Amino acid sequence: MKNSRNANVTVLRLFAEQLAKLILPESLYKRVSEAMMSNAITFERLRLPELSAKKRSVFIRHLDCGSCNGCEIELNALSNPVYDIERFGIKFESSPRHADILVMTGPFTRNLEEAARLTFEAMPEPRRVIALGDCAADGGVFKDSYAIRARPGEIDEAIREKGVYIPGCPPTPEEILKGILDVLAKN
Amino acid sequence: MIRAGLTEICRKPIIELPRRDTNELHFITEDGDDVVKLAKWAKEEGFYLCTMVANDERFLEDHVFKLYYVFSASDGKLVIIEHPLTDPKYPFNYASISKYFSSVIPLEKEALDLFGLSPIDNTMNQGFVLHDPYPPDLFPLRPRRSMPDIIKRIEENKTQVSKSESIPLPEGVLSLPVGPIHAGIIEAGQFRFLIAGEIVEDLELRLGYKHRGIEKLFQTQYSLEEGWKLAERISGDSSFAHSMAYCQAVESLAGMEPGASALHWRGLFLEMERLHNHIGDVAAMVHDMAFDLAASRIAVLREKSMQLNADLGGHRLLRNINRPGGVELTRSPNLSEASDRVRELTDQFLSLGKLVLEMPACRNRMIMTGVLSLEQATELGATGLVARASGLGKHDFRLRHAKGVYAARPEMLAEINATIESGEDGALRDSNGSASPTTSRRAQVLKEELRGDVFARLAFRIAEVETSARIIEILLRSLTDFESKQLHEVTPLVESLRRIASFEFGLGYVEGWRGDIMYWVMKGPGNTIFRCKVRDPSLFNWPALVSAVILKDQQSLEEGRSSLLENLLADFPLINKSFNLSCSGNDL
Ligand code: SF4
C-alpha cells in the first residue's frame, strides 16, 4: 500500500517535470528546478496529534473588529507550511455563509458594529465564535476608549457558551490551533 | 539658510524659539497668510510634510487653538511652524496649505472630526474617523471632555444614520463597493470601485472603521512612562517602529539619549522588523501571482524570521522591548547563532526573489501594473518604500534624519545608500560590469526598479531585505563586543521629566519598514500626556495607492484608445499588496 502510494507520487512528479520542461524555456526550467530542488529550505512542521486525531473539518471566517493587525499576522501564519492548517481539515473561508466558526479579532469599535453584526447574522446555524487575542477578550489596551463598545449580547453569548477566548497579544499560531481544538472538544 | 528664507518670505523677522535638539527649528507665526506663503516656499525647496498637529490650548497660556506643522527639510533639519489661531473672527478656522501639500488633507480631516477645526472656506465633511454612530459635535480630543462624558454623549446620540445617496453613473459604468469586511484575513476598510468593463475608472476609499480613540487614550489613560504599551499596539506589523518613535519623543522631552548598547539593540530590532515584513509581503505578492511553489517557501522564511524575533527579543512581533530611556530584554540571546540564521534565511530568500523577478509569468503581471509616477509620488507626499520605488530614492529617514545608532555608524548608512544608488546609477545597472558580486546582485535586482510599478516595489523590497540583513550583521557583531551586553539598559527618566516644564513638546521619528513614523508628544502636568499625535506612513500612502490604481495616460485618453497604464479590477489585489498599507495605523 505504502509502496504504491510512493509510486504514484513519483509518477506525478515525473509528469509535472515533463510538463514544466514542455512549457518553460529550457534555461528557465533549469533555474526553477535548481532553485526548488537544491536550495532546500528545511523546517520543522508543527505536530499536533490531538488535532489530527479529531478527523473533523471546519471552515473558519475571520472578522476584524478593530484589531491592530497583529492577530491577523498570526492567523495568516497558520497557512504557512510550518503550521499548514489545512492538513487538519481546517480551512479559512471567504464568505460567512459557508463558515462554521467566526474568529473575531480586535476590541469591537463602534464604526464596525453594523458590519460585524451583519457578518455574524449571515452565518448559518450552528455557528461558533472564537474571540481571538486580549483585545477581543476585554478590550485590551483600548479598553476604556469612547470608540469601543460592548459586543452585541448574541455574539457574546455564542462565545461564552460554545466558543472560546484565546488570550495573548497576539496569541502564537500554536495557541490559536489549540484554541480551535478546544472549540471542537466543546461541541 | 532656512531662517533667512523664512524672513524673506514673510517680509518681516519671524519669531524663533530655541529647541534643545539643534536639528529642530521652531518658528511661530500668527498670520495665516504667512503660513500659506511659507508652505509655498517649502514646496519649492523640496520639503516633505511630516505632520500637522492640532492642539486645543484654550486653557493654557495662549487661550487659543494651535496648529503645529512639521516639515522635513532636505538638509537634515526639521522645521516646526507653530500657528496659533488668534483671529477672534475665526477661532476654529485656519488657512489651509493643501494647495501646496495635498498630504495635509487627511490630517485636516482628522482635525475636523476630533477638534472641530476646519480650513476657512471648508469643503470637507465630517466622518473621516468618526462615522455615523457619533454625534457631530463630539470633538473628543478637546482636553476638557472627559472619557465618561464623551461616552455618555455618544450613547445618547439619536441623530439618524444618514443613508448615502446614490450618485447617477454614466452608462456602462458600474459601482462596486468592496468591504469593510473582506474575503481574506485582512483589515477592515472599504474600497468603492467604479468599473467600466474590467477597467477601474475610479476608486474611492472609506476608512476609519477601526478608529479606537488612541489619541484620547494617550491623553487620559496612559502616563509618559507607560505610553509605549499603547504605541506598540497601533499597527501590529510596525510594533517596534511605533514604540521606538514614541520612546524617542519622550526621550527628546527629557533631553537625553539612551546608552550605546540600547541604541544598538533598537537598530537591530528595527531592521529585524523590516526583514520579516518585507519577506512576508513578497510571499503574499508571489502568492497572488499564483507562483505558489515559491510563495510557500518564502512564507517559511518569514516564519523563520519571526521565530528569530522571538528568540532574540522574546516576542514574535518584537513587543515589550522598548522603554522610554532604553530597552529591556528578558533573556540573553545567542548572538552568533542569530547571525548564522539571518545569513541563511536571507540567502535563500534572495535566490527565490531573483527567480520571481525573472519568471516571465510574474513579470507579465507586475510590469506596468499599478504605476505610481514620480510626479504623483512627490505631489501626494508619498513616503517610505513606495516613494523610493517611484524614484524618490533618498526619501529615507535613516538617511535624511539619521538618529541613534544610524548616526553613530556611517557604514550602515553606506549600505542603505548603496541600495539606492544601484537603482539610480545607470552604470551599475549593467550586471556584466566589473562591480563587486554583491553590488551586481543588487544592481540586477534593481535595474528596472525606478518605474514605480508593482515590479519596482517588489524589487525594492527584495533589495531592502539584503540591506537590512547586512545592517543586522554589523549590529550583531558590535553587540557581541559590548561586554555585559547590558540587557536592561534603561536610564530612568522620572527625574529629568520632572524638571521639564509642562506643555513642552518632543518629536520622535523612525523609518519603519513601511515609511517614516512621527510622534509629537506634549507633556501635561506631572507625568501625564497632554497630547500625543501619531502619524503612521499609511496615512500618506493611501491616496498614493488610489492614484496608482486609477492612473491613466493623457495621450491615450485623448486619442480614445485604452492605455497601457489602465488597471483591471483583477490587478487591484496585487497592487494593494505591493503597497501593503495599514488601516489601523490610519484610523488610530
Ligand atoms: S490582541 Fe494584541 S495583537 Fe491582537 S489585535 Fe489586540 S493589540 Fe493587536
Side-chain angles (χ1 to χ4, degrees):
Chain A
M1 165 75 186
K2 198 165 172 240
N3 274 345
S4 75
R5 215 174 119 213
N6 273 350
N8 279 344
V9 172
T10 320
V11 169
L12 269 180
R13 188 153 140 197
L14 284 176
F15 177 70
E17 273 178 21
Q18 291 306 321
L19 190 69
K21 258 189 196 155
L22 271 179
I23 56 178
L24 294 177
E26 199 184 316
S27 59
L28 192 68
Y29 166 74
K30 242 182 103 205
R31 291 259 305 108
V32 175
S33 58
E34 256 173 38
M36 292 304 159
M37 304 302 164
S38 69
N39 184 7
I41 296 171
T42 52
F43 61 91
E44 220 169 291
R45 175 163 289 180
L46 178 83
R47 289 166 50 86
L48 213 58
E50 311 95 284
L51 196 53
S52 321
K54 275 282 170 201
K55 295 213 185 329
R56 287 169 69 179
S57 170
V58 285
F59 282 20
I60 294 184
R61 168 71 216 212
H62 159 248
L63 174 64
D64 172 7
C65 299
S67 73
C68 75
N69 77 36
C71 282
E72 277 76 2
I73 293 179
E74 297 299 36
L75 271 179
N76 273 319
L78 286 173
S79 301
N80 75 35
V82 175
Y83 304 103
D84 191 11
I85 191 168
E86 293 200 10
R87 82 193 135 119
F88 299 116
I90 304 168
K91 189 170 177 288
F92 287 113
E93 197 25 82
S94 48
S95 165
R97 299 209 188 275
H98 305 158
D100 307 301
I101 300 181
L102 189 67
V103 173
M104 299 176 75
T105 59
F108 214 83
T109 64
R110 287 179 198 274
N111 284 342
L112 272 169
E113 184 196 347
E114 198 197 350
R117 200 171 34 75
L118 290 175
T119 309
F120 176 73
E121 282 167 7
M123 285 174 70
E125 298 271 9
R127 50 193 173 202
R128 305 288 177 249
V129 185
I130 293 178
L132 184 68
D134 290 349
C135 285
D138 68 345
V141 292
F142 312 113
K143 188 163 34 211
D144 302 308
S145 169
Y146 63 83
I148 306 304
R149 53 156 297 155
R151 264 188 296 257
E154 227 187 334
I155 301 183
D156 235 23
E157 215 179 284
I159 302 175
R160 253 181 291 115
E161 284 178 3
K162 299 223 162 140
V164 289
Y165 289 100
I166 305 179
C169 185
T172 62
E174 195 174 336
E175 285 163 354
I176 303 177
L177 278 176
K178 291 195 174 139
I180 297 173
L181 188 66
D182 288 345
V183 179
L184 293 180
K186 255 192 178 181
N187 292 281
Chain B
M1 184 281 269
I2 292 170
R3 247 168 239 127
L6 292 184
T7 317
E8 198 189 307
I9 297 303
C10 303
R11 291 170 200 279
K12 56 182 176 255
I14 181 162
I15 307 167
E16 184 177 354
L17 293 183
R19 294 286 297 164
R20 202 179 298 109
D21 186 338
T22 48
N23 283 326
E24 294 169 12
L25 303 171
H26 182 181
F27 302 97
I28 300 187
T29 173
E30 294 179 1
D31 187 343
D33 290 342
D34 275 357
V35 176
V36 177
K37 271 189 264 169
L38 289 176
K40 180 164 182 277
W41 176 77
K43 183 82 196 177
E44 283 157 11
E45 292 286 310
F47 285 21
Y48 159 76
L49 176 75
C50 301
T51 187
M52 176 189 95
V53 186
N55 201 16
D56 181 356
E57 299 184 17
R58 287 177 302 166
F59 307 102
L60 308 186
E61 226 181 316
D62 295 332
H63 304 288
V64 287
F65 280 100
K66 280 189 190 173
L67 297 178
Y68 297 81
Y69 295 92
V70 183
F71 294 98
S72 143
S74 22
D75 62 351
K77 298 267 191 265
L78 284 166
V79 182
I80 304 157
I81 312 269
E82 176 178 340
H83 176 43
L85 307 183
T86 45
D87 188 343
K89 265 203 310 209
Y90 296 111
F92 303 109
N93 304 93
Y94 54 90
S96 169
I97 62 165
S98 59
K99 192 168 156 214
Y100 303 106
F101 289 93
S102 68
S103 50
V104 79
I105 293 172
L107 292 159
E108 289 182 345
K109 288 184 181 166
E110 270 179 11
L112 178 61
D113 277 6
L114 302 175
F115 282 100
L117 298 182
S118 61
I120 302 169
D121 326 313
N122 177 35
T123 53
M124 298 185 293
N125 291 326
Q126 275 178 281
F128 184 63
V129 287
L130 303 183
H131 294 181
D132 282 329
Y134 294 94
D137 55 351
L138 191 67
F139 310 136
L141 277 189
R142 296 190 181 174
R144 289 263 164 123
R145 313 213 157 163
S146 72
M147 199 67 101
D149 252 17
I150 298 173
I151 295 175
K152 195 161 143 250
R153 292 190 41 194
I154 299 170
E155 267 153 23
E156 283 166 359
N157 176 34
K158 293 279 181 305
T159 39
Q160 285 292 309
V161 172
S162 59
K163 281 270 168 286
S164 55
E165 57 226 69
S166 55
I167 311 146
L169 298 171
E171 210 186 296
V173 175
L174 196 74
S175 155
L176 183 73
V178 179
I181 310 293
H182 293 272
I185 305 176
I186 54 169
E187 294 190 75
Q190 194 180 47
F191 306 111
R192 271 184 231 170
F193 298 96
L194 288 189
I195 46 175
E198 282 191 89
I199 293 168
V200 184
E201 292 288 323
D202 204 353
L203 167 60
E204 193 191 321
L205 288 179
R206 178 132 200 256
L207 298 171
Y209 288 99
K210 306 184 71 172
H211 178 64
R212 287 149 294 164
I214 283 173
E215 290 174 347
K216 188 71 186 179
L217 282 169
F218 272 122
Q219 256 178 21
T220 54
Q221 322 295 122
Y222 289 86
S223 66
L224 277 171
E225 287 96 356
E226 298 275 287
W228 58 269
K229 290 184 186 159
L230 188 55
E232 66 187 13
R233 286 169 179 83
I234 288 175
S235 184
D237 46 25
S238 307
S239 298
F240 195 82
H242 266 279
S243 63
M244 182 162 154
Y246 173 81
C247 291
Q248 280 187 2
V250 178
E251 285 152 12
S252 129
L253 260 174
M256 59 82 68
E257 197 170 53
S261 81
L263 291 180
H264 276 73
W265 283 115
R266 278 190 184 169
L268 174 72
F269 291 127
L270 189 66
E271 296 301 329
M272 301 265 298
E273 188 168 85
R274 200 182 312 279
L275 199 72
H276 87 81
N277 278 298
H278 279 345
I279 296 180
D281 279 356
V282 172
M285 285 164 73
V286 175
H287 173 78
D288 263 24
M289 292 185 286
F291 187 10
D292 272 333
L293 195 58
S296 55
R297 279 165 197 239
I298 301 176
V300 173
L301 297 176
R302 205 263 172 118
E303 174 67 26
K304 285 190 170 184
S305 65
M306 287 181 76
Q307 288 171 356
L308 184 58
N309 288 350
D311 291 345
L312 279 180
H315 193 286
R316 284 165 58 92
L317 294 178
L318 298 168
R319 282 184 178 161
N320 204 6
I321 298 171
N322 268 320
R323 302 281 183 282
V327 295
E328 224 174 270
L329 289 171
T330 44
R331 63 180 92 185
S332 162
N334 181 345
L335 296 180
S336 56
E337 184 223 32
S339 170
D340 292 342
R341 283 163 75 183
V342 170
R343 198 168 317 122
E344 189 189 332
L345 82 91
T346 36
D347 277 351
Q348 290 170 334
F349 172 76
L350 290 174
S351 77
L352 285 166
K354 191 152 172 276
L355 184 70
V356 171
L357 292 176
E358 284 170 7
M359 282 288 279
C362 295
R363 295 172 71 87
N364 204 356
R365 270 315 289 283
M366 293 189 288
I367 293 177
M368 298 301 269
T369 303
V371 177
L372 178 70
S373 66
L374 177 60
E375 298 75 47
Q376 284 290 323
T378 322
E379 188 59 40
L380 295 170
T383 177
L385 180 130
V386 167
R388 293 197 282 280
S390 287
L392 287 170
K394 301 266 179 207
H395 190 87
D396 186 326
F397 267 43
R398 289 175 295 175
L399 298 172
R400 272 175 95 115
H401 303 286
K403 233 187 148 155
V405 73
Y406 296 94
R409 303 292 296 264
E411 68 268 42
M412 288 172 24
L413 296 188
E415 287 291 345
I416 301 169
N417 257 321
T419 316
I420 293 160
E421 272 156 20
S422 57
E424 273 175 0
D425 179 355
L428 271 179
R429 285 187 222 176
D430 184 354
S431 57
N432 301 325
S434 56
S436 71
T438 47
T439 331
S440 78
R441 181 159 64 173
R442 268 188 229 188
Q444 243 179 13
V445 165
L446 286 171
K447 65 184 169 195
E448 282 170 274
E449 133 229 349
L450 294 172
R451 225 178 343 219
D453 54 7
V454 173
F455 184 89
R457 286 185 285 276
L458 184 85
F460 227 114
R461 282 211 153 81
I462 294 172
E464 288 200 0
V465 167
E466 188 178 357
T467 314
S468 288
R470 287 149 167 277
I471 297 180
I472 289 172
E473 280 196 38
I474 297 177
L475 288 171
L476 282 172
R477 227 176 299 131
S478 8
L479 277 166
T480 329
D481 297 343
F482 281 112
E483 271 197 7
S484 59
K485 287 196 205 135
Q486 294 156 333
L487 296 180
H488 300 272
E489 208 197 357
V490 182
T491 321
L493 295 181
V494 185
E495 269 310 303
S496 30
L497 280 175
R498 201 165 292 151
R499 266 181 275 120
I500 302 285
S502 297
F503 311 112
E504 295 254 326
F505 67 85
L507 286 178
Y509 39 90
V510 163
E511 181 76 24
W513 67 275
R514 195 180 263 127
D516 63 300
I517 294 172
M518 181 157 279
Y519 273 66
W520 185 99
V521 178
M522 182 178 260
K523 176 180 177 293
N527 64 352
T528 59
I529 300 172
F530 184 74
R531 170 103 169 93
C532 174
K533 172 84 199 106
V534 183
R535 209 266 306 138
D536 187 87
S538 302
L539 194 75
F540 290 165
N541 279 354
W542 279 113
L545 169 68
V546 173
S547 155
V549 173
I550 63 178
L551 184 74
K552 305 254 153 76
D553 78 278
Q554 211 47 46
Q555 200 187 346
S556 323
L557 273 187
E558 276 157 20
E559 290 167 11
R561 57 193 167 84
S562 69
S563 102
L564 261 183
L565 293 175
E566 278 168 343
N567 290 300
L568 306 183
L569 188 61
D571 288 329
F572 179 75
L574 183 61
I575 304 175
N576 191 21
K577 290 218 173 65
S578 76
F579 278 75
N580 191 11
L581 305 177
S582 154
C583 294
S584 50
N586 178 83
D587 302 349
L588 294 181

